[in-house]
Amino acid sequence: MIAVEDWAEIRRLHRSEKVPIKEIARRLGIARNTVRSALASDAPPEYQRALKGSIVDAVEPQIRALLAEFPRMPATVIAERIGWERSLTVLKERVRELRPLFLEADPVDKLVHHPGQTTQCDLWFPEPRIPVGGGQVAMLPVLVMTLAFSKVIAAQMIPSRTAGDILAGMWSIIHSLGGVTKTLWWDRESAIGGRGRPSPPAAAFAGTLGTRIVLAPPRDPETKGMVERTNGYLETSFLPGRAFTSPQDFNAQLGDWLLRANQRMVRSLAPATGSGAGGRPVDVLGRDLAAMTVLPPVAPTTGTRSRIRLGREYYVRFETCDYSVDPRVIGRFVDIIVSLEQVRVTCEGRVVALHERCWAKGRVRWSV
């Protein structure tokens, strides 16, 4: 079975870069029929959990010792020095993960961003605690996305930093824009790429859209400094003097403010507008959108999905909240689909429970 990462890369090359099937097969070293199957499938291949442990674990101390003295030593030379006689592929993968820990800082020149190329993404945690119901308050994450070329800002408060909620927020923003950039830049957010590569849900999301998730190098905030500055801008220009009654109220106020913020004058847009004074992000957005990848007819899989056999108490639990289900399906398998707004339960395709999602903890929801 093709890996999720390969499936995602095939779709990105074909949708975003317009690379022919024959050339994709040559680049990736796979059969053309495999490429055709990946392009014909709107859903990613089912992820198989990797086995724990690795044959490289035993020699990792030796690898670290060599990299500490020679940070740029090639993996092939390391294999020779430690007497490695097994698969070179797994050794190279471990060296690739460890090498950044021993490299010196690597300054780079200022990046030039082209239309439709890059979106920088991050989570911002505003200090005010937001009322979430039942007398509870919480510090909630805000998904922030900044288009690198037009400097347009989009943001939305989400219930958690799980992959399901982050990807659902990304899809909400991308869908409202009407297109997706060729790359989506993230740091090592655990749900997106905490292990140095896009997580299976993130890779599947990117593959469906025909884009690519790029992870910033460790300890390299400059790579996505634009969205980091956006977080600071939100902190100093949106929050002061505001009070919020709920996450929905926060998003409503944020949406109104973003309409004005994207009409501000930005000096760094001078090259894009030909004006020494800069330009407004909203006026440059059209060029960004024209160069973006068109959204696919099938939406990516987002949110959280699970299946259980309904017990006699006829409730399903998501996070710490319980949601009632039609008791007539006790003892049968039900599917739980959780979005940013709803908890929906189905049995053999029939909806047997539909609840507004609770952002508080330890609450019980009954059907009316």
Side-chain angles (χ1 to χ4, degrees), residues 10-166:
I10 289 169
R11 293 177 62 85
R12 183 192 72 83
L13 288 171
H14 190 70
R15 289 180 54 81
S16 296
E17 309 298 335
K18 309 302 181 185
V19 179
I21 290 175
K22 181 178 179 181
E23 176 62 15
I24 294 174
R26 188 192 67 79
R27 289 188 190 181
L28 302 184
I30 57 179
R32 297 183 199 177
N33 285 341
T34 302
V35 176
R36 294 188 181 97
S37 297
L39 295 176
S41 174
D42 292 320
E46 185 175 349
Y47 170 63
Q48 301 293 328
R49 185 181 296 276
L51 296 177
K52 293 184 178 180
S54 169
I55 57 175
V56 192
D57 292 343
V59 298
E60 182 172 316
Q62 296 171 258
I63 298 173
R64 286 177 174 267
L66 287 170
L67 290 175
E69 190 173 358
F70 308 104
R72 299 189 182 278
M73 179 180 285
T76 52
V77 178
I78 291 175
E80 180 183 347
R81 296 290 178 84
I82 66 176
W84 184 257
E85 297 179 350
R86 306 187 73 172
S87 170
L88 193 59
T89 300
V90 293
L91 181 71
K92 286 182 176 180
E93 181 67 23
R94 184 61 58 88
V95 172
R96 188 180 301 114
E97 293 175 3
L98 295 175
R99 192 185 303 280
L101 302 178
F102 301 93
L103 291 173
E104 295 291 334
D106 184 21
V108 297
D109 292 331
K110 185 175 181 180
L111 293 174
V112 176
H113 298 289
H114 301 287
Q117 191 65 37
T118 305
T119 301
Q120 295 187 7
C121 311
D122 198 13
L123 293 181
W124 168 53
F125 291 86
E127 181 62 30
R129 269 51 175 179
I130 307 297
V132 291
Q136 301 179 31
V137 295
M139 176 182 280
L140 296 170
V142 176
L143 171 66
V144 182
M145 300 175 67
T146 303
L147 300 182
F149 175 74
S150 63
K151 311 299 187 292
V152 165
I153 302 169
Q156 180 177 351
M157 178 168 279
I158 56 178
S160 76
R161 63 195 304 175
T162 60
D165 286 342
I166 293 175

Side-chain angles (χ1 to χ4, degrees), residues 67 143 172 205 207 242 266 287 312 327 339-340 344 347 353 364:
L67 290 175
L143 171 66
S172 175
F205 177 87
R242 293 182 183 269
V266 179
R287 291 177 59 187
R312 293 177 61 192
S339 68
L340 296 177
R344 182 162 57 97
C347 180
V364 179

